[in-house]
């Protein structure tokens, strides 16, 4: 895997001013997570777009680290990004607030309609469940997906220790723990951990915990996180944590599966042995999808861009670069990942019948048994503010 290229804010700003005199139809403003694309595909898109439409396009690419900061730029700042990549529960919120344009791929010829060709039924189903009233598939196309779990250094941490969320406050790993700076993605596993007895007794479900924004639950998660802080954390990270793991500075990380794939791979090169586990108590399965916000100024290029991201060879390049797994049902994508070094796993839920023993990296494609103990996060509406306040208080308590 190559090292990531980062476009600095300064460079992005320069690029924006350089094209400010250009016709806006020749500019596509993409707002994506950092470390989440093979950046050379952006240039390829410019060429492909011109070949398909006869029109020139310049991509202005900007990145964010956290869903919530991206959202406020659009919701409050009304910034005119043409295509952005929020997570499932943010897509739900943008649907609820009417901030998204419906997608229309009618103009794209069938021969290059990669969305139509490669939609995975599993992803379509999960997107349908985002919002019971509005089908998210009409407003969003999934880009990458994965789970939330624990990355751990096998030299210091056993699989048993890592198989519970409580590893983040295990005194053995004090000051060696990294926590993703993503409030919802930390709140959910901690709440699952705290409610494990009720889950086991059948008095609650993972799905209902994903909607639990009650004061009691927020307070319980806050108390728990304060005890984690007291035990000692190495840091709260958005993207730099991968390096702390590969350099042996941190041993445990509450993180996303794609960061795990990247870190495990990089660590191997320097003799550090990392692994990833989705704790037994349960976790989240998440999806990030391309959407076109209502303030977009170049809907046509945004539509083509989303389609281009679904082209199997482009999806594979993005996967190889980032460590994340494309939400792409193309056989070609699956085949690019098959490797005899892995034990066979059941992927029928994603690739259909016949995919019941596929040798792929189980961190990328979780086995059906892992998926069965994961749930999708949901939007909390106005209650989100309570969580963000709690989050600042916990981080400030260090
Ligand atoms: N480095 C980019 C990582 C993006 C992962 N998104 C996960 C979102 C989970 N809610």
């Amino acid at each position: 895997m190559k090292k990531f290229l980062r476009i600095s804010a300064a460079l992005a700003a320069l690029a924006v001013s350089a094209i400010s005199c250009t016709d806006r139809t020749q500019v596509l403003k993409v707002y994506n997570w950092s470390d989440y694309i093979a950046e050379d595909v952006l240039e390829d898109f410019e060429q492909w777009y011109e070949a398909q439409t006869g029109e020139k396009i310049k991509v202005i690419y900007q990145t964010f680290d956290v869903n919530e900061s991206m959202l406020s730029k659009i919701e409050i700042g009304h910034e005119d990004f043409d295509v952005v990549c929020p997570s499932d529960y943010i897509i739900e919120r943008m649907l609820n607030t009417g901030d998204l344009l419906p997608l229309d791929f009618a103009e794209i010829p069938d021969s290059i309609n990669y969305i139509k060709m490669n939609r995975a039924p599993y992803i379509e189903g999960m997107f349908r469940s985002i919002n019971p009233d509005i089908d998210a598939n009409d407003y969003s196309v999934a880009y990458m997906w994965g789970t939330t779990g624990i990355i751990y250094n096998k030299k210091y941490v056993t699989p048993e220790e890592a198989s519970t969320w409580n590893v983040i406050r295990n005194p053995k790993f004090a000051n060696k723990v990294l926590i993703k700076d993503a409030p919802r993605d930390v709140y959910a596993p901690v709440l699952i951990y705290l409610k494990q007895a009720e889950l086991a007794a059948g008095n609650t479900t993972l799905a209902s915990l994903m909607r639990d924004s009650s004061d009691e639950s927020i307070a319980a998660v806050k108390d728990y996180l304060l005890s984690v802080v007291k035990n000692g954390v190495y840091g709260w990270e958005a993207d730099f944590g991968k390096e702390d793991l590969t350099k042996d500075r941190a041993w445990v990380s509450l993180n996303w599966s794609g960061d795990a794939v990247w870190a495990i791979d990089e660590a191997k090169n320097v003799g550090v042995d990392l692994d990833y586990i989705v704790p037994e108590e349960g976790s989240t399965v998440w999806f990030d999808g391309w959407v076109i916000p209502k303030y977009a100024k170049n809907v046509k290029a945004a539509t083509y861009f989303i389609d281009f991201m679904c082209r199997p060879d482009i999806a594979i390049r993005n996967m190889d670069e980032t460590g994340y797994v494309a939400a792409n049902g193309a056989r070609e994508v699956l085949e690019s990942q098959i490797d005899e070094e892995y034990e066979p796993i059941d992927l029928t839920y994603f690739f259909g019948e016949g995919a019941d023993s596929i040798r792929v990296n189980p961190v990328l494609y979780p086995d059906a048994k892992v998926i069965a103990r994961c749930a999708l996060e949901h939007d909390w509406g106005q209650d989100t503010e309570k969580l963000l306040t709690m989050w600042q208080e916990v981080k400030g308590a260090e």
Side-chain angles (χ1 to χ4, degrees):
M1 243 171 248
K2 283 174 273 162
K3 277 266 170 240
F4 292 101
L5 290 171
R6 278 178 192 273
I7 293 186
S8 71
L11 271 179
L14 260 181
V16 173
S17 68
I19 51 86
S20 59
C21 316
T22 315
D23 179 356
R24 187 64 173 80
T25 62
Q26 292 182 8
V27 173
L28 176 71
K29 290 174 75 177
V30 179
Y31 198 26
N32 190 14
W33 295 81
S34 55
D35 295 349
Y36 217 31
I37 204 162
E39 287 188 6
D40 50 359
V41 307
L42 298 175
E43 229 176 272
D44 290 9
F45 170 71
E46 293 175 353
Q47 287 164 11
W48 179 81
Y49 184 76
E50 190 172 353
Q52 301 306 323
T53 64
E55 294 164 27
K56 288 204 175 303
I57 197 76
K58 175 84 205 139
V59 175
I60 301 299
Y61 188 73
Q62 281 181 261
T63 61
F64 58 87
D65 289 328
V66 196
N67 267 310
E68 286 69 20
S69 62
M70 175 277 295
L71 182 68
S72 75
K73 280 213 177 184
I74 289 167
E75 215 174 63
I76 303 166
H78 296 180
E79 286 205 31
D80 64 339
F81 290 109
D82 298 309
V83 57
V84 301
C85 190
S87 293
D88 35 50
Y89 67 97
I90 298 287
I91 296 175
E92 180 176 6
R93 177 177 178 118
M94 294 174 106
L95 286 172
N96 289 338
T97 52
D99 278 330
L100 298 182
L101 295 179
L103 301 177
D104 182 0
F105 297 105
E107 197 189 311
I108 297 187
D110 274 356
S111 59
I112 57 158
N113 193 326
Y114 302 109
I115 299 163
K116 208 152 107 187
M117 288 181 232
N118 301 313
R119 267 195 203 269
Y122 168 68
I123 303 280
E124 273 191 283
M126 291 305 280
F127 265 53
R128 214 165 288 121
S129 72
I130 285 179
N131 186 321
D133 302 320
I134 313 168
D135 187 348
N137 291 295
D138 295 338
Y139 292 81
S140 178
V141 172
Y143 176 51
M144 302 277 185
W145 69 290
T147 55
T148 305
I150 296 288
I151 310 175
Y152 62 101
N153 186 320
K154 289 165 84 176
K155 187 163 143 197
Y156 312 103
V157 187
T158 66
E160 292 70 37
E161 286 166 331
S163 67
T164 167
W165 293 112
N166 207 30
V167 67
I168 63 173
R169 67 166 181 188
N170 186 328
K172 271 176 79 180
F173 313 125
N175 299 312
K176 293 292 182 190
V177 173
L178 283 163
I179 311 258
K180 194 52 99 184
D181 193 359
R184 284 297 303 269
D185 297 335
V186 176
Y187 177 90
V190 171
L191 187 64
I192 291 170
Y193 171 75
L194 295 174
K195 300 274 185 184
Q196 61 184 300
E198 288 172 49
L199 280 166
N203 295 334
T204 188
T205 60
L206 282 177
S208 65
L209 293 185
M210 295 301 111
R211 296 185 186 274
D212 183 352
S213 59
S214 64
D215 290 347
E216 298 73 21
S217 291
I218 293 180
V221 171
K222 179 179 178 180
D223 281 351
Y224 181 90
L225 287 174
L226 286 172
S227 67
V228 173
V229 169
K230 199 160 167 222
N231 189 46
V233 292
Y234 183 84
W236 309 80
E237 59 90 27
D239 268 312
F240 64 83
K242 292 178 290 217
E243 241 178 277
D244 289 321
L245 290 160
T246 57
K247 302 231 162 92
D248 212 346
R249 295 192 286 250
W251 303 342
V252 171
S253 170
L254 192 164
N255 214 319
W256 300 312
S257 46
D259 275 25
V261 170
W262 192 92
I264 292 168
D265 207 51
E266 282 290 304
K268 237 182 243 159
N269 300 331
V270 290
V272 174
D273 201 3
L274 302 178
D275 210 343
Y276 174 82
I277 209 160
V278 175
E280 289 303 320
E281 296 100 355
S283 186
T284 59
V285 57
W286 51 263
F287 303 84
D288 296 332
W290 296 112
V291 297
I292 304 183
K294 75 169 172 203
Y295 303 104
K297 293 222 164 75
N298 195 343
V299 173
K300 176 176 175 181
T303 307
Y304 273 81
F305 179 83
I306 296 174
D307 186 53
F308 188 66
M309 289 298 120
C310 296
R311 206 173 88 181
D313 61 319
I314 299 299
I316 293 167
R317 277 163 67 187
N318 287 333
M319 284 173 76
D320 288 347
E321 179 75 21
T322 65
Y324 281 85
V325 60
N328 191 309
R331 215 66 206 181
E332 200 178 327
V333 172
L334 174 64
E335 274 155 20
S336 74
Q337 302 302 316
I338 291 177
D339 189 330
E340 291 303 311
E341 86 168 92
Y342 298 112
E343 292 299 316
I345 55 175
D346 178 3
L347 293 183
T348 43
Y349 71 91
F350 196 90
F351 290 103
E353 270 177 44
D356 58 349
S357 58
I358 307 281
R359 292 180 185 271
V360 285
N361 183 346
V363 182
L364 273 178
Y365 290 101
D367 186 89
K369 283 202 279 297
V370 174
I371 288 294
R373 62 173 191 272
C374 291
L376 194 66
E377 289 170 21
H378 283 282
D379 176 38
W380 287 2
Q382 298 307 317
D383 280 357
T384 305
E385 280 309 312
K386 296 193 294 186
L387 176 74
L388 300 183
T389 305
M390 178 276 264
W391 193 246
Q392 290 315 324
E393 287 168 359
V394 168
K395 289 200 320 181
E398 265 195 282

